[in-house]
Amino acid sequence: MKNKGKTRRLKMAAWAAFMVPLLALNTNLANEGASSDADHVAYHEELCAAGPSTFYYGYDAYTADYYEQPYFVDDYFRNLTEHFPTNNCGNCGYTAAAMLLCYYDTYWNGKIIDDHFNSDPAMINDPKSTDYSSPGITDFAAHIDEIKMEKPKDGAPQWEWDRYNAYLVDEIYGPYLNRMDEPYLLKTNLISYLYYLARRKNPNNNNRALWNFGIKEPDTSTTPSFIKNLLNLYFDELGLSNVIEAKLVSFADFNRSGFTPEITQRRMLRNAAISKLRKGQPIIYKGALLTENGYYNESQDYVSGNGHIAVAYGFDEKENNIIGHIGWKGKEEYSQMNFDKVFGDFDDFVYLEVSPDLNFDHANVRFTDCSACYPACDLYSHVHADKDHRAKISYGDTEYHALQCICGDTEYEMHEYDEMVQFDDQNHAWKCVCGDAKYEQHTFTATPYGSIYHMLRCECGYQRTEVHHFRPGGMMMFVCSDCGFSMPAGIMPGLIYQP
């Protein structure tokens, strides 16, 4: 059904509710005896557009379906230069996971990250600003000593690796984690909490932890599969696992026939990532960084690179390049790097699948210009939701319901009564998707239900039994005039014959 006009944004609603009648009255007085009917029609259409006779001025877009923001996601990660974790010990996977959580927490639902972890709201000049220091989390990175023991070479005996790993546990990462595990930091530092969550035994996983810190797993390095599992454990802890799920896509997933060349698999992986980036959906990107001594083997695998995990958030259509935040602090360009030039290959990506049922948090104000506070949807970069992703709101109009974007922008659409539901023993209701309903009497179909009764069934699902209405139906027979059930005459005629 075609949309019928648009009101102003929510922030204008109270003003409009007060001023519209006053403006209309003043206009009539000023132009009394001079204005034509056409003038009044033109004024009305300019003010509130064609459509319903009453208008909606409230806010109920909490139930709007989730959708992406292709411009805000670019501004957010490009400006994320301060309020994200410090990657100082090979913890790039944890850093990328935290950055992705920060985006969804800022854009859609403030409960994704507890407020105790959050940084202060970002200072902006005004809602049209596109340059600011993006809000995220407070950052504390404990000191970690430089590794001075030489790493064993490939093919070294196991005892050399065990000795080296024991050194990492005792001298490097053990002291670092002890500092990060301080009770205060577990409540205020998101990376500390993620470390704790990864090492905690999980009763839903046979009391096994994701990260068994020790000689076998002596450092903070991760894999995309690990990050996917950590994020899903995190969502489970928040009670959000039914509305957000982390999913992993690897280049090997595209070898469905078993004979697809690896170079083709990687190209298909890149295309899958680009399709999400074009929509405005950020992803966690894993590959090997280019190095001076790196090289490509016969399968086009990049060898001798440094494995790295970061966040990709955009795609440059003109140059055909994936743009991302490398996850490091110190230089402005780190937040807007060409991943096709800094990575030698691309192996996997992790993304979040957000259910339409995840409520929008309009009270999540993460930006301020000192005079007012704003949620992300009030910034200039906001793109209004299409009809399918707006909250559909019944507000008493007999013909129209409101379609409201998360920012409060409201359009109108005629009711579509396409769902029939039971109401009572006399009527059923036709429901619109907005919740509005109109009622009509049941229309019954009768079917035999034994020798005494037939069953009356309505299309809405309501049913009840009723005594047959027998009439003479031929030689020595009675036939129910409603359901067609017949029986020989003379069997309890006083009970069943109802002329």
Side-chain angles (χ1 to χ4, degrees):
M1 186 64 66
K2 186 178 179 181
N3 292 344
K4 297 288 185 179
K6 180 183 289 188
T7 70
R8 288 130 308 280
R9 293 283 289 273
L10 175 66
K11 64 184 68 174
M12 298 295 292
W15 180 90
F18 173 75
M19 291 297 293
V20 166
L22 184 60
L23 287 173
L25 177 62
N26 288 342
T27 302
N28 288 339
L29 292 174
N31 297 310
E32 186 175 359
S35 61
S36 66
D37 290 340
D39 291 333
H40 287 292
V41 171
Y43 172 77
H44 177 78
E45 289 182 345
E46 180 182 358
L47 180 66
C48 53
S53 57
T54 59
F55 295 91
Y56 177 71
Y57 292 110
Y59 183 86
D60 283 284
Y62 311 104
T63 59
D65 289 353
Y66 180 82
Y67 73 107
E68 308 295 348
Q69 282 292 337
Y71 300 118
F72 175 68
V73 71
D74 180 79
D75 286 350
Y76 179 82
F77 282 107
R78 175 174 53 82
N79 291 318
L80 187 61
T81 57
E82 181 181 2
H83 301 119
F84 67 98
T86 299
N87 179 3
N88 66 337
C89 59
N91 57 344
C92 57
Y94 291 95
T95 299
M99 292 167 66
L100 197 67
L101 292 173
C102 286
Y103 170 73
Y104 283 91
D105 178 85
T106 300
Y107 164 48
W108 193 261
N109 189 302
K111 296 179 180 61
I112 291 175
I113 294 179
D114 190 283
D115 287 343
H116 290 100
F117 297 128
N118 280 338
S119 65
D120 292 333
M123 294 297 300
I124 56 176
N125 292 327
D126 57 63
K128 292 183 179 181
S129 300
T130 58
D131 292 312
Y132 45 79
S133 178
S134 293
I137 55 174
T138 56
D139 174 40
F140 174 81
H143 170 75
I144 186 164
D145 289 333
E146 181 182 352
I147 299 174
K148 296 180 179 179
M149 179 180 285
E150 185 177 352
K151 186 177 181 178
K153 294 181 172 55
D154 291 341
Q158 187 60 47
W159 68 266
E160 285 191 22
W161 282 103
D162 289 344
R163 184 182 65 172
Y164 177 75
N165 289 346
Y167 163 75
L168 294 181
V169 170
D170 295 337
E171 304 296 332
I172 306 298
Y173 288 95
Y176 166 77
L177 289 175
N178 286 337
R179 179 72 175 92
M180 296 292 282
D181 281 344
E182 291 184 5
Y184 172 75
L185 291 174
L186 290 175
K187 295 179 180 180
T188 59
N189 192 43
L190 183 60
I191 286 292
S192 291
Y193 179 71
L194 292 178
Y195 287 159
Y196 159 77
L197 206 58
R199 287 175 291 147
R200 192 190 67 183
K201 292 184 178 180
N202 185 357
N204 297 324
N205 190 31
N206 297 321
N207 278 324
R208 289 182 297 182
L210 292 178
W211 178 20
N212 293 294
F213 179 65
I215 290 180
K216 299 298 182 184
E217 298 177 21
D219 56 31
T220 55
S221 61
T222 57
T223 65
S225 178
F226 176 94
I227 293 303
K228 179 203 74 170
N229 293 334
L230 178 61
L231 284 170
N232 286 331
L233 178 58
Y234 177 85
F235 296 137
D236 188 58
E237 288 292 301
L238 293 180
L240 296 175
S241 57
N242 61 324
V243 287
I244 314 179
E245 182 181 2
K247 294 192 172 183
L248 171 66
V249 182
S250 300
F251 74 87
D253 295 339
F254 298 94
N255 189 20
R256 298 183 181 95
S257 67
F259 301 100
T260 305
E262 186 172 314
I263 190 171
T264 302
Q265 296 173 44
R266 292 185 182 277
R267 184 172 65 249
M268 294 171 73
L269 174 73
R270 187 174 187 274
N271 290 339
I274 289 171
S275 69
K276 294 190 178 298
L277 296 172
R278 279 177 168 148
K279 296 175 186 175
Q281 182 175 11
I283 61 174
I284 293 177
Y285 182 110
K286 186 268 178 180
L289 295 174
L290 288 167
T291 62
E292 291 183 3
N293 299 321
Y295 64 94
Y296 291 94
N297 63 17
E298 294 179 356
S299 298
Q300 293 301 298
D301 294 324
Y302 188 71
V303 182
S304 296
N306 294 323
H308 189 60
I309 296 175
V311 174
Y313 61 85
F315 180 67
D316 184 341
E317 297 280 354
K318 184 177 180 180
E319 300 295 332
N320 192 32
N321 291 322
I322 291 175
I323 306 302
H325 193 309
I326 202 66
W328 303 330
K329 293 182 177 180
K331 296 182 180 179
E332 291 185 2
E333 58 265 31
Y334 285 160
S335 67
Q336 44 187 331
M337 300 195 75
N338 181 345
F339 278 15
D340 291 293
K341 292 184 177 180
V342 297
F343 283 89
D345 60 13
F346 178 26
D347 300 321
D348 321 84
F349 70 86
V350 175
Y351 69 96
L352 299 188
E353 186 170 277
V354 182
S355 166
D357 296 329
L358 178 63
N359 285 346
F360 175 71
D361 185 2
H362 187 264
N364 184 32
V365 289
R366 301 291 283 133
F367 299 86
T368 180
D369 62 3
C370 292
S371 63
C373 295
Y374 308 93
C377 65
D378 274 350
L379 300 188
Y380 181 74
S381 57
H382 174 75
V383 175
H384 293 320
D386 60 24
K387 183 182 77 171
D388 293 335
H389 294 88
R390 289 177 174 239
K392 297 173 175 61
I393 303 163
S394 172
Y395 64 102
D397 191 278
T398 57
E399 294 185 77
Y400 293 86
H401 53 242
L403 298 175
Q404 194 170 60
C405 176
I406 57 174
C407 68
D409 181 81
T410 306
E411 298 179 348
Y412 297 90
E413 178 184 65
M414 292 186 70
H415 293 305
E416 294 184 8
Y417 298 101
D418 54 6
E419 181 185 2
M420 182 190 291
V421 296
Q422 298 181 45
F423 179 66
D424 58 22
D425 59 353
Q426 298 295 321
N427 301 287
H428 52 242
W430 284 97
K431 290 187 66 177
C432 177
V433 67
C434 71
D436 192 76
K438 62 181 181 179
Y439 304 92
E440 66 179 12
Q441 288 188 332
H442 294 303
T443 301
F444 290 114
T445 301
T447 57
Y449 191 66
S451 60
I452 305 297
Y453 302 99
H454 52 240
M455 182 69 73
L456 297 177
R457 291 184 173 89
C458 180
E459 184 183 354
C460 72
Y462 176 79
Q463 61 184 33
R464 68 169 182 256
T465 58
E466 183 182 67
V467 176
H468 290 305
H469 297 130
F470 281 119
R471 303 288 186 273
M475 187 68 69
M476 303 300 291
M477 295 292 291
F478 283 130
V479 178
C480 178
S481 59
D482 292 326
C483 71
F485 178 79
S486 62
M487 65 184 306
I491 301 177
M492 299 191 300
L495 175 63
I496 62 176
Y497 179 61
Q498 299 182 20

